[in-house]
Amino acid sequence: MSEISTLDWRNGGEPAGEVVIREARVVDPHAGLDERRDVVVRAGAVAELAAPGAAELPDAEGSEAGELCLVPAFFDPHVHLRTPGREDEEDLETGTRAAAAGGYCGIAAMANTEPTVDTPEAIEALRERAGREAAVPVGFLACATRGMRGDELTDMIELRQAGAVGFSDDGLPIRSARVMRRALQYQRIAGGVLALHEEDPELSGKGVMHEGEVSAALGLAGIPTVSESTMIARDCALAAYEEARIHVQHLSARESVATVAAAKAAGVAVTCEATPHHLALTDEDVRSLDSAYKMNPPLRSEEDRLALVDALRSGIVDCVATDHAPHSIDEKEVPFEAAAMGVTGLETAFAVLHTALVLPGTIALELLLERMSGGAACMGFDPPRIAPGAEANLALLDLDAQWTPGAEGWESRSANCAFAGRTLRGRVMATVVGGRIVYRNRAFALGVAA
Ligand SMILES: [Zn+2]
Ligand SMILES: [Zn+2]
């Protein structure tokens, strides 16, 4: 495991100043901490958890946090930054600004760009660019197969040496069990995570939404849940056989939850993620035929959603991932069948799950916080903590703030968010990464103290 700030970002390597956050409610589920404290950050690390009101603010960047909640910052293991190739939809600067606004101290970027990221040179170029442009640390994944064609493996060992944090053909499954087996064999040697978009293209066919009552009513081609769960079963079996480690992306179906649960119980090294949209929405939302609800895997039934929520609670689902997938207006403002799959999510993830799951009492705030940062460990990084000596990766939240995503625009270059226009409660007011304030909400003045 290594520290998140060692990933590539524009403040990496430079010394950080002093930040003091006074009298916040400090919640760290790992430490079992939920108390009012002053938090002092020095040289990039948490230096002190002092009694409320005890810490001074000499020359420090600081704030009276009052009714705010200070928590470990979040980590997203699944983001599409559309760079290189589709900078009209997102680039490293806008995508990481969206992440900072969402309370994230680190993200993992997928390799299904144009061209795909499948050479050491491509990884090096992105890392160098992130070092100039990224507001928060970014770990780049490389493709598992060349050009994501699914037949020939990339040079996984060289890619790791060039700094790839892992491998994924996300956007597409690895169809061939033979190729998957080889990828697992190389994962064991190269290290880094192998992150899997699990889908059987034969079963998905031309499906555009979840196969069920709603697809039947709308007359749209469906994607059955078993398209996902059968591939997860195959890959858990192969990972067990090769003693390799896999991370299953965007779990959507109850059969998938059962499959991962069985694999974990059998000792397979598998972790998995679920998205805010799969945890908060269902295929009933698709009745509107609004393309903001079109993504892959699709929004599933209420039974599937409830199974995912249970799995989030039990830890079968290790972490929340947004699968932030920016798309241009002309890819989305077309009939539902023709629209591109994918939604943005970095700026709304915490608020969506706080509103949908914590406020009604379905899950505890502490549990949500643990899962929001759980992606760090899945990607091989130290989980964010609020403890003396820990790297200072912090998010300051206003749990009562009510807001409407999109009303003031987006940090992301794209606007295809499934939650735009809804009323959400809970908002990120500031984000600290490696001791630096990388985001401040306009409604909140976290300023330099005199
Ligand atoms: Zn995917
Ligand atoms: Zn994705």
Side-chain angles (χ1 to χ4, degrees):
M1 294 259 186
S2 41
E3 293 197 319
I4 292 168
S5 75
T6 60
L7 287 167
D8 301 293
W9 62 306
R10 65 176 175 233
N11 288 327
E14 288 169 35
E18 186 173 333
V19 179
V20 179
I21 298 154
R22 299 224 309 172
E23 306 201 18
R25 174 186 167 197
V26 181
V27 183
D28 182 346
H30 304 287
L33 179 67
D34 186 352
E35 279 175 18
R36 222 156 261 290
R37 293 285 176 91
D38 284 6
V39 175
V40 181
V41 170
R42 222 172 274 132
V46 175
E48 241 180 284
L49 288 170
E56 309 239 322
L57 295 174
D59 302 326
E61 262 196 292
S63 137
E64 303 286 344
E67 295 309 302
L68 303 181
C69 194
L70 188 71
V71 304
F74 312 139
F75 190 99
D76 195 336
H78 189 158
V79 171
H80 297 272
L81 293 176
R82 301 294 187 227
T83 301
R86 286 308 303 268
E87 288 87 346
D88 60 310
E89 296 181 328
E90 198 78 288
D91 62 27
L92 302 189
E93 194 178 339
T94 57
T96 55
R97 249 182 13 225
Y104 289 92
C105 62
I107 59 175
M110 294 301 127
N112 63 337
T113 50
E114 299 170 16
T116 56
V117 182
D118 58 4
T119 62
E121 294 72 28
I123 284 284
E124 279 156 12
L126 279 169
R127 293 188 60 198
E128 201 220 315
R129 203 162 154 183
R132 291 194 310 267
E133 298 172 14
V136 303
V138 185
F140 293 97
L141 279 79
C143 298
T145 71
R146 286 181 204 271
M148 292 173 54
R149 286 184 296 273
D151 44 19
E152 196 186 341
L153 291 184
T154 53
D155 293 321
M156 290 169 67
I157 293 167
E158 282 177 38
L159 283 160
R160 278 285 286 165
Q161 285 163 353
V165 301
F167 307 93
S168 182
D169 278 4
D170 180 49
L172 294 174
I174 297 175
R175 275 174 184 247
S176 158
R178 174 181 54 78
V179 172
M180 175 61 72
R181 185 181 175 193
R182 293 289 286 164
L184 291 163
Q185 289 167 344
Y186 272 94
Q187 188 276 326
R188 278 194 60 187
I189 301 165
V193 71
L194 184 58
L196 302 171
H197 170 116
E198 297 289 32
E199 177 179 18
D200 184 335
E202 300 287 330
L203 290 173
S204 290
K206 291 189 163 38
V208 295
M209 68 172 294
H210 170 65
E211 179 177 287
E213 267 172 49
V214 181
S215 67
L218 293 172
L220 291 175
I223 300 171
T225 53
V226 288
S227 170
E228 176 179 280
S229 60
T230 54
M231 285 294 263
I232 295 175
R234 181 198 79 173
D235 291 341
C236 285
L238 288 170
Y241 191 77
E242 296 296 344
E243 294 177 11
R245 182 163 83 85
I246 58 171
H247 176 75
V248 178
Q249 299 179 298
H250 45 48
L251 225 64
S252 72
R254 57 192 186 281
E255 295 92 337
S256 305
V257 170
T259 305
V260 171
K264 283 189 169 187
V268 181
V270 55
T271 53
C272 69
E273 65 188 36
T275 71
H277 46 274
H278 289 111
L279 288 161
L281 303 174
T282 68
D283 61 346
E284 288 295 331
D285 291 288
V286 181
R287 284 191 195 273
S288 64
L289 291 179
D290 183 341
S291 68
Y293 300 119
K294 186 174 178 188
M295 69 288 286
N296 191 18
L299 298 176
R300 302 243 181 231
S301 71
E302 178 66 3
E303 293 75 36
D304 294 303
R305 187 187 76 82
L306 291 174
L308 285 182
V309 172
D310 276 345
L312 189 73
R313 198 187 286 113
S314 71
I316 295 299
V317 167
D318 298 82
C319 62
V320 171
T322 64
D323 194 4
H324 178 84
H327 282 289
S328 64
I329 288 170
D330 37 301
E331 286 177 348
K332 276 294 195 182
E333 291 199 349
V334 292
F336 189 87
E337 292 97 312
M341 288 170 156
V343 291
T344 58
L346 284 167
E347 293 169 68
T348 51
F350 172 76
V352 163
L353 294 174
H354 181 249
T355 305
L357 301 181
V358 175
L359 290 178
T362 309
I363 66 169
L365 173 67
E366 291 71 18
L367 185 107
L368 175 59
L369 296 175
E370 207 170 332
R371 300 290 179 260
M372 290 295 294
S373 62
C378 294
M379 292 288 126
F381 294 90
D382 294 327
R385 296 249 189 286
I386 307 183
E391 182 164 87
N393 295 320
L394 311 166
L396 195 57
L397 310 174
D398 184 342
L399 298 179
D400 294 320
Q402 200 154 289
W403 63 296
T404 306
E408 297 161 19
W410 302 96
E411 299 291 344
S412 169
R413 188 160 288 149
S414 292
N416 55 305
C417 178
F419 301 96
R422 296 194 181 215
T423 301
L424 301 180
R425 249 179 81 192
R427 191 157 199 191
V428 178
M429 301 312 272
T431 308
V432 174
V433 180
R436 291 162 188 286
I437 299 165
V438 296
Y439 171 76
R440 292 177 177 88
N441 187 287
R442 262 177 286 170
F444 174 68
L446 184 63
V448 180

